[in-house]
Amino acid sequence: MDINDVDEEECGFSRNYFLAKELGSSGKKSTLKISDIDLVDEQELRAAAGNIEPKHEKEIIALVNSYKKMFPRWVFELRCGFGLLMYGFGSKKALIEDFASTALTEYPVVVINGYLQSVNLKQVMIAIAELWWDQLKTRQKTSSRILPKGQQPFDSRSVDDILAFLDRSEAEENDSFVCVAIHNIDGPGLRDSESQQYLARIASCSHIRIIASIDHVNSPLLWDKKMIHTQFNWYWYHVPTFAPYKIEGIFFPLILAHSSTSQSAKTAAIVLQSLTPNAQSVFKILAEYQLSHPEEEGMPFDNLYTVSRERFLVSSQVTLNSHLTEFKDHELVKTRRRSDGQDCLYIPLANDALEKLLSEINQ
């Protein structure tokens, strides 16, 4: 073929390309919107995703087993004062819980689910302080150390007082500590600066050790140099598990699906099933009240306490508050102020979803 013919062919191709672009841009733009797309029901999409056959199972099992061989080393690093930070593709929830249940049997463990939309750090600190106080009382029986009597309840203390208590070196053994396992320390409920500062202060306490996981690519930007090297004192571990984010993903809507009444009820039912029977019964009281009083803005706290106490579900307002804290952490219950100025409790679900939820948990 002649060189001139090749040049002419290339020029013809270029002219046709720009001509097509010009004609295409002169036409009318599409009026279609994302809302016009017929999305798949979320429950159907999750069911389809759950039926996908896993691949490379043997290789993944071998990979996870290689991490388990490192458990003694991880315990040693915790005893040396480091915090463990797990990163890599795949859910690390099962790996961390396996480590805590098999290798940390000598130490009390508190678990924080950072993948939830909101986390009550004050309640977490109270739980840690109570565990540490029990640890001190147990060790007092085998030593001559006398602990102060008349200990003030931790739920009536300020955050600073609780942190000061945790940071006091009242134990003779440096090997005595409370482990805090945080699934997704970069999760939506912990991602704000204030929460990270509180977590860093918890991690810097003398007898606290942190085991955490991250999944967001920009997670290290949450911390400054002092937090990383002094307070958290991270020992970084790349532990890709390639495990699906089944539990973590329940609380987030799928991009390619629209939410539905049945899915909202199903998600709430899964959360409720993880709570105690008494907590479920308290939730039922609130749900039944909301369905029978659709014109009201919610159920007053005093009314809920009275009914719950009459049914022997709670013995005090403190017990009821602990149930409500769990509900609020999982966004099952919210509070708002009624027109008469009284605070009330309500479940942020439509009546049809609420009825579906009651039928789910009554099965």
Side-chain angles (χ1 to χ4, degrees):
M1 182 180 291
D2 190 88
I3 297 178
N4 294 329
D5 293 337
V6 174
D7 292 341
E8 185 176 350
E9 183 179 351
E10 291 182 353
C11 291
F13 175 79
S14 301
R15 284 196 297 271
N16 291 336
Y17 171 79
F18 287 108
L19 180 61
K21 293 289 289 183
E22 183 179 353
L23 292 174
S25 61
S26 62
K28 294 183 178 180
K29 295 183 178 180
S30 173
T31 57
L32 294 176
K33 302 177 181 178
I34 294 179
S35 58
D36 297 328
I37 301 174
D38 187 17
L39 297 176
V40 182
D41 180 77
E42 184 166 358
Q43 190 171 6
E44 295 179 8
L45 188 56
R46 287 189 185 275
N51 291 329
I52 297 176
E53 293 185 3
K55 297 181 180 180
H56 312 293
E57 288 185 89
K58 293 182 180 179
E59 291 81 359
I60 291 175
I61 291 173
L63 183 65
V64 174
N65 286 337
S66 69
Y67 300 148
K68 292 182 179 180
K69 293 178 182 178
M70 301 175 67
F71 283 2
R73 175 178 174 177
W74 293 357
V75 174
F76 174 74
E77 287 160 355
L78 288 175
R79 293 173 61 185
C80 290
F82 289 99
L84 303 181
L85 185 64
M86 312 296 179
Y87 69 99
F89 181 78
S91 173
K92 291 156 284 293
K93 187 174 188 295
L95 177 65
I96 291 176
E97 290 180 351
D98 189 21
F99 170 61
S101 62
T102 58
L104 297 176
T105 54
E106 299 179 11
Y107 308 97
V109 179
V110 176
V111 179
I112 303 176
N113 294 320
Y115 50 78
L116 298 176
Q117 296 295 330
S118 60
V119 179
N120 191 325
L121 283 182
K122 174 71 179 294
Q123 292 297 324
V124 170
M125 293 182 197
I126 291 173
I128 296 172
E130 289 175 346
L131 281 174
W132 179 237
W133 179 246
D134 292 339
Q135 188 93 330
L136 291 176
K137 288 191 294 184
T138 301
R139 292 181 180 276
Q140 180 192 18
K141 297 177 182 178
T142 58
S143 67
S144 59
R145 179 175 291 274
I146 304 299
L147 295 177
K149 296 182 179 180
Q151 179 76 9
Q152 182 184 358
F154 292 106
D155 54 3
S156 62
R157 295 192 186 189
S158 66
V159 170
D160 290 333
D161 286 343
I162 296 174
L163 288 171
F165 166 76
L166 292 174
D167 200 32
R168 284 203 301 267
S169 300
E170 293 178 333
E172 296 178 357
E173 301 89 349
N174 293 327
D175 192 33
S176 179
F177 53 81
V178 176
C179 294
V180 181
I182 310 175
H183 300 304
N184 298 100
I185 195 173
D186 55 348
L190 300 173
R191 203 172 290 166
D192 60 287
S193 177
E194 183 180 10
S195 295
Q196 291 296 324
Q197 290 290 342
Y198 277 129
L199 289 173
R201 291 177 65 185
I202 292 173
S204 64
C205 292
S206 305
H207 301 285
I208 304 295
R209 300 293 185 271
I210 302 288
I211 312 157
S213 65
I214 57 173
D215 284 290
H216 198 284
V217 66
N218 293 325
S219 296
L221 298 177
L222 294 171
W223 312 305
D224 57 30
K225 188 175 181 180
K226 177 185 176 183
M227 294 168 72
I228 290 177
H229 297 294
T230 305
Q231 294 178 300
F232 286 118
N233 197 19
W234 289 131
Y235 202 115
W236 300 67
Y237 274 103
H238 183 223
V239 287
T241 62
F242 302 96
Y245 296 91
K246 289 183 179 179
I247 303 299
E248 300 92 327
I250 289 176
F251 304 95
F252 296 91
L254 297 178
I255 296 176
L256 299 178
H258 63 77
S259 59
S260 62
T261 297
S262 59
Q263 178 60 24
S264 300
K266 189 70 175 179
T267 302
I270 292 173
V271 175
L272 282 171
Q273 287 168 3
S274 66
L275 304 180
T276 63
N278 280 2
Q280 295 178 25
S281 298
V282 171
F283 184 86
K284 288 179 186 178
I285 293 173
L286 183 58
E288 290 167 355
Y289 182 92
Q290 186 165 314
L291 289 173
S292 60
H293 299 80
E295 72 285 350
E296 294 189 14
E297 296 172 277
M299 185 177 188
F301 174 85
D302 293 339
N303 292 12
L304 179 61
Y305 173 65
T306 300
V307 177
S308 300
R309 188 177 176 85
E310 289 174 352
R311 298 185 185 181
F312 301 100
L313 299 176
V314 299
S315 57
S316 65
Q317 290 188 0
V318 175
T319 307
L320 180 58
N321 280 329
S322 67
H323 292 324
L324 292 176
T325 298
E326 287 186 299
F327 298 155
K328 292 174 183 177
D329 286 347
H330 293 85
E331 296 194 334
L332 293 173
V333 172
K334 295 185 177 181
T335 58
R336 62 185 168 195
R337 181 155 296 182
R338 299 200 304 186
S339 54
D340 60 359
Q342 186 178 12
D343 289 335
C344 62
L345 305 162
Y346 73 99
I347 302 170
L349 290 175
N351 285 347
D352 52 350
L354 199 51
E355 291 172 355
K356 178 72 176 177
L357 175 58
L358 285 176
S359 65
E360 288 275 351
I361 60 180
N362 286 329
Q363 291 178 356

